[in-house]
Amino acid sequence: MRIPSGVADAAAALRSGELTSVGLTHALLARIERENEGLGAVLGRCDEAALNAAEAADRALSAGTDRGALHGIPLALKDILATEDAPTTGGSLAVLPGFQGYDSAAAERLRSAGAVLIAKATTSEFACGTPDDTKPFLFPRNPWDTNRWAGGSSAGTGSGVSAGLFMGGVGTDTGGSIRVPAAFCGVTGMKPTFGLVSRFGCIPLSETLDHVGPMARSAEDCAHILTALAGPDSRDTGSRTFEHQDYADALDPDLTGITIGVDRDHYRLADVPGEVVAAYETAASELAALGATVVEVRLPFFSEIAAATTVVMNSEPLQVHGRNLREHWDDYGRSTRLRLAAGAFYSASDYTRAQAVLRRGRVLLGEFFQTVDCVVSITSAVAAWRFEEIGLAAAMKTPFFTNRWNGLGMPAVALPMGFSSTVTGSPTLPLPLSWQVAGPTHSDGLLLRVAAGYQTRTDWHSQIPPGFELEEAGA
Amino acid sequence: MPSTPVDNRPELPAYDRPQLPAYDQRVVVAFLLGEAGLPVAEDELDELVSVFALVRGMTRILHGATVTEQLE
C-alpha cells in the first residue's frame, strides 16, 4: 500500500476510501517495528490504544462524523509530553515525578480532534542533552544519513516524520528544539507565539522560553496540527487567550500585499558555508515570484537578544532540575547534567539583565514589524552533525539562528530550502538545509501562509530519504 | 529666586580604582557548583571550567555599552 506523505494527503485518502485509519495505523506500526532499531525515532509505542482510536475514527467517519483534518491521522508526541496510555520518560533514567498517567494538553487536544496517537517520539534527555552511549536509549538517527544526528531536542519527531513513521507530530522548542531537528531531517517545524499552545503536562525546561508546536512534512500539515493544538488553558501560567482560527483555511500562495524582510546580517556575522548562503538566497528569491514585496532588513539587537535568550535558557533549567540533579546526578547523561550544572554560573544580575534586554527587544522588534510583515533567515548554519561532532561546548558556539525568537516569544517556521552536498568541504550524502520565517506575536497564520506558498513553488519538503520510500509491500 | 538653576552638587572626586587580583577560574567554578550542591566529578569540573569561560563571554555581551544605552 501507499503510505501518505503527510496529514493532508492521509486525510484525503481516508475520505476517498483509499485507506482506513486502522489500515494506515497498522502499516505505520509495522514500519516503526521494522525501522526503529536503525532510526531510534520512537521511545514508546501505544499500539493497542492507537488501534482502538483508529477503529473509532473509522466508525465515526462511516457514520458521517468528521472531526476535521486530523480525524483518524496517526501522529506522534515527543516523550516529554504526558500521555495517559504510555509512560513519559523525558528520555532519562532520572524521571521527574508528576508526568505519568494523564494526558498533557497537547494529547487532549489532538485526541479531541480525532488524531490517533501512535508513538512517543525520542527526545534529547529532558529536551537539552545529547545522545549518550552510557544510557539505555537508542540514538535518534537522521534518515538522510544514519551516521548523523536527527538534531535536538525533538529528534524523534523530526526523524519519524522524515522517514514516514507517522504523518506528523508535536515537539517542543526552548531555543530551537523543533526547528533544528526539522532542519536536520528536512521537514517543516513551527514554534508558535508564546502562550498560543498550552504546555500543561509538558516536562518543563525553561518556564519563559518553552513552546509546544507542530512538526510535519509541509507547512500545510503544520497548520492543521496547530489549529488543533492552539487554545487557552488555565493550567499553564504562560497560556494566553487568542482568537481561535483555522490556520489551514488562511493558506493562500498569493503573497501580494505582504512585505517580507530578508536578513543577511546573521550569515555575514557568522561563519556560514557558501552553499548554505547560496541556498538561502535562492529560496529568498522565490518570495517575489509569489507576489510578496521583498526588502533587505537589519534586525535590531541581533547579538544581544540571542545572548539574553541563551542566558535565560541556561539559567532556568537548573531551577527545574536542581533537586533531582543533586539526588540523581549519575542517572542523568553526562552532557545533560553538565549543561544543567552550568546554570550555576549565571548571577541574578545576569538573569535580570537578560530579561530586561528581552523586554526591550520585544518593543524594538514590535516597532521593526511595523515596517515588514515577517522576516526570513537561515535556520542553521550547519547540516546534520555526525554523532562524534556533537559536544557541549560546540553546541553552545554553533550558529543556530533560532533562539532569539524564543526569547521574544514570537513565532517562527523552519522549512527545507535545499540540500548540502559537502560538509566542511568534504563530499557527503545529500543533507537537508533549512530557512525560517519569523514574525511578530499573532502572526502564526501569516508565517504558515508564506511557508506554504514557498512550498507550492518548490519540492524540497516532499523529498523522501533514500531507503524510506512511501510504499509498503502487502499491508 | 535665581532666574537660572544653580548646581550646588559637589564635584565628584576621581577615584583611582584598584584592579582586582586575577582569580583562578577552577576555584570559582568549584565554588559555584559546590554552592548549588552538585556532586561534580574532577573530570567534569575540567569540562565545566571551559564552559564557564563561554558563559562569562556571553554575559559580557549583555552588559555591553550599546544595549545599556537602550535600557537605561
Side-chain angles (χ1 to χ4, degrees), chain B residues 12-70:
Chain B
L12 295 174
Y15 290 104
D16 184 16
R17 295 195 306 166
Q19 287 288 310
L20 289 172
Y23 59 88
D24 183 333
Q25 286 198 355
R26 192 177 172 82
V27 172
V28 174
V29 168
F31 169 77
L32 291 172
L33 295 169
E35 284 295 295
L38 302 174
V40 177
E42 196 74 11
D43 64 313
E44 293 172 329
L45 183 60
D46 292 338
E47 189 168 341
L48 283 167
V49 169
S50 62
V51 172
F52 179 76
L54 282 175
V55 163
R56 298 320 305 169
M58 185 71 69
T59 57
R60 271 193 286 277
I61 296 173
L62 285 187
H63 297 284
T66 312
V67 72
T68 300
E69 283 167 17
Q70 286 282 337

Side-chain angles (χ1 to χ4, degrees), chain A residues 25-332:
Chain A
T25 302
H26 267 303
L28 294 180
L29 288 171
R31 200 168 164 92
I32 292 171
E33 177 72 24
R34 189 180 69 232
E35 304 292 353
N36 199 52
E37 187 68 25
L39 272 183
V42 169
L43 262 173
R45 300 245 301 263
C46 318
D47 294 18
E48 189 179 342
L51 287 165
N52 288 340
E55 200 177 325
D58 284 336
R59 268 201 315 273
L61 212 50
S62 298
T65 302
D66 187 337
R67 295 197 213 173
L70 299 188
H71 188 122
I73 305 297
L75 301 177
L77 284 180
K78 181 178 182 179
D79 194 35
I80 63 170
L81 292 156
T83 47
E84 66 178 1
D85 49 13
T88 304
T89 69
S92 182
L93 297 177
V95 175
L96 280 177
F99 297 92
Q100 309 299 329
Y102 66 94
D103 271 351
S104 57
E108 286 175 349
R109 287 180 175 275
L110 293 178
R111 288 192 212 275
S112 171
V116 173
L117 302 187
I118 194 171
K120 301 297 286 289
T122 299
T123 172
S124 302
E125 186 175 22
F126 292 127
C128 75
T130 51
D132 187 325
D133 61 12
T134 68
K135 303 299 179 198
F137 296 99
L138 292 173
F139 277 21
R141 296 180 183 276
N142 194 309
W144 291 94
D145 178 351
T146 54
N147 292 311
R148 294 176 185 272
W149 192 28
S153 64
S154 306
T157 318
S159 172
V161 168
S162 177
L165 304 188
F166 22 82
M167 298 291 97
V170 177
T172 63
D173 192 316
T174 302
S177 282
I178 285 174
R179 289 162 290 157
V180 172
F184 278 14
C185 296
V187 302
T188 307
M190 179 180 199
K191 182 203 85 64
T193 294
F194 185 78
L196 181 63
V197 177
S198 171
R199 303 169 302 178
F200 171 73
C202 176
I203 299 175
L205 181 63
S206 168
E207 177 71 18
T208 65
L209 300 176
D210 289 344
H211 297 68
V212 174
M215 299 176 76
R217 209 174 290 282
S218 69
E220 181 189 0
D221 288 355
C222 284
H224 288 304
I225 298 171
L226 182 63
T227 299
L229 290 174
D233 186 347
S234 61
R235 298 167 298 181
D236 173 7
T237 55
S239 178
R240 303 284 182 270
T241 300
F242 299 112
E243 186 182 346
H244 182 73
Q245 58 178 295
D246 187 324
Y247 295 96
D249 269 357
L251 301 181
D252 177 355
D254 181 1
L255 303 185
T256 303
I258 296 173
T259 303
I260 301 176
V262 177
D263 178 34
R264 296 189 169 90
D265 274 0
H266 68 294
Y267 71 69
R268 290 174 180 149
L269 295 170
D271 186 21
V272 180
E275 68 173 343
V276 179
V277 172
Y280 173 62
E281 291 294 345
T282 302
S285 70
E286 293 290 341
L287 297 172
L290 290 160
T293 301
V294 180
V295 296
E296 180 158 356
V297 294
R298 303 188 72 175
L299 286 168
F301 283 101
F302 169 86
S303 301
E304 291 86 350
I305 291 170
T309 306
T310 301
V311 169
V312 174
M313 189 170 69
N314 290 342
S315 301
E316 291 188 349
L318 187 56
Q319 189 277 127
V320 175
H321 285 276
R323 179 174 176 181
N324 206 45
L325 197 58
R326 286 189 286 274
E327 294 174 356
H328 301 283
W329 179 259
D330 290 322
D331 289 337
Y332 284 80

Side-chain angles (χ1 to χ4, degrees), chain A residues 237-467:
Chain A
T237 55
S239 178
R240 303 284 182 270
T241 300
F242 299 112
E243 186 182 346
H244 182 73
Q245 58 178 295
D246 187 324
Y247 295 96
D249 269 357
L251 301 181
D252 177 355
D254 181 1
L255 303 185
T256 303
I258 296 173
T259 303
I260 301 176
V262 177
D263 178 34
R264 296 189 169 90
D265 274 0
H266 68 294
Y267 71 69
R268 290 174 180 149
L269 295 170
D271 186 21
V272 180
E275 68 173 343
V276 179
V277 172
Y280 173 62
E281 291 294 345
T282 302
S285 70
E286 293 290 341
L287 297 172
L290 290 160
T293 301
V294 180
V295 296
E296 180 158 356
V297 294
R298 303 188 72 175
L299 286 168
F301 283 101
F302 169 86
S303 301
E304 291 86 350
I305 291 170
T309 306
T310 301
V311 169
V312 174
M313 189 170 69
N314 290 342
S315 301
E316 291 188 349
L318 187 56
Q319 189 277 127
V320 175
H321 285 276
R323 179 174 176 181
N324 206 45
L325 197 58
R326 286 189 286 274
E327 294 174 356
H328 301 283
W329 179 259
D330 290 322
D331 289 337
Y332 284 80
R334 179 184 171 94
S335 73
T336 313
R337 63 188 185 235
L338 296 192
R339 179 166 169 190
L340 292 171
F345 301 159
Y346 297 91
S347 67
S349 166
D350 296 332
Y351 182 82
T352 51
R353 173 53 65 113
Q355 289 292 5
V357 168
L358 293 178
R359 280 195 300 275
R360 181 68 187 149
R362 286 179 202 114
V363 172
L364 291 171
L365 265 290
E367 292 168 0
F368 170 82
F369 282 121
Q370 299 294 313
T371 60
V372 294
D373 295 302
C374 57
V375 61
V376 293
S377 67
I378 293 166
T379 307
S380 166
V382 294
W385 281 313
R386 296 179 68 87
F387 284 101
E388 58 270 27
E389 293 170 333
I390 306 169
L392 181 63
M396 291 184 76
K397 287 188 285 190
T398 294
F400 298 129
F401 304 110
T402 50
N403 81 352
R404 83 184 86 150
W405 302 111
N406 297 72
L408 296 167
M410 295 174 177
V413 180
L415 64 163
M417 64 173 184
F419 288 88
S420 168
S421 56
T422 62
V423 174
T424 58
S426 305
T428 184
L429 292 170
L431 297 171
L433 301 173
S434 173
W435 65 326
Q436 66 179 339
V437 192
T441 303
H442 303 302
S443 67
D444 305 73
L446 174 74
L447 304 187
L448 287 165
R449 182 179 160 195
V450 171
Y454 172 77
Q455 290 179 339
T456 63
R457 289 187 58 84
T458 59
D459 65 355
W460 303 118
H461 64 290
S462 52
Q463 301 296 309
I464 307 298

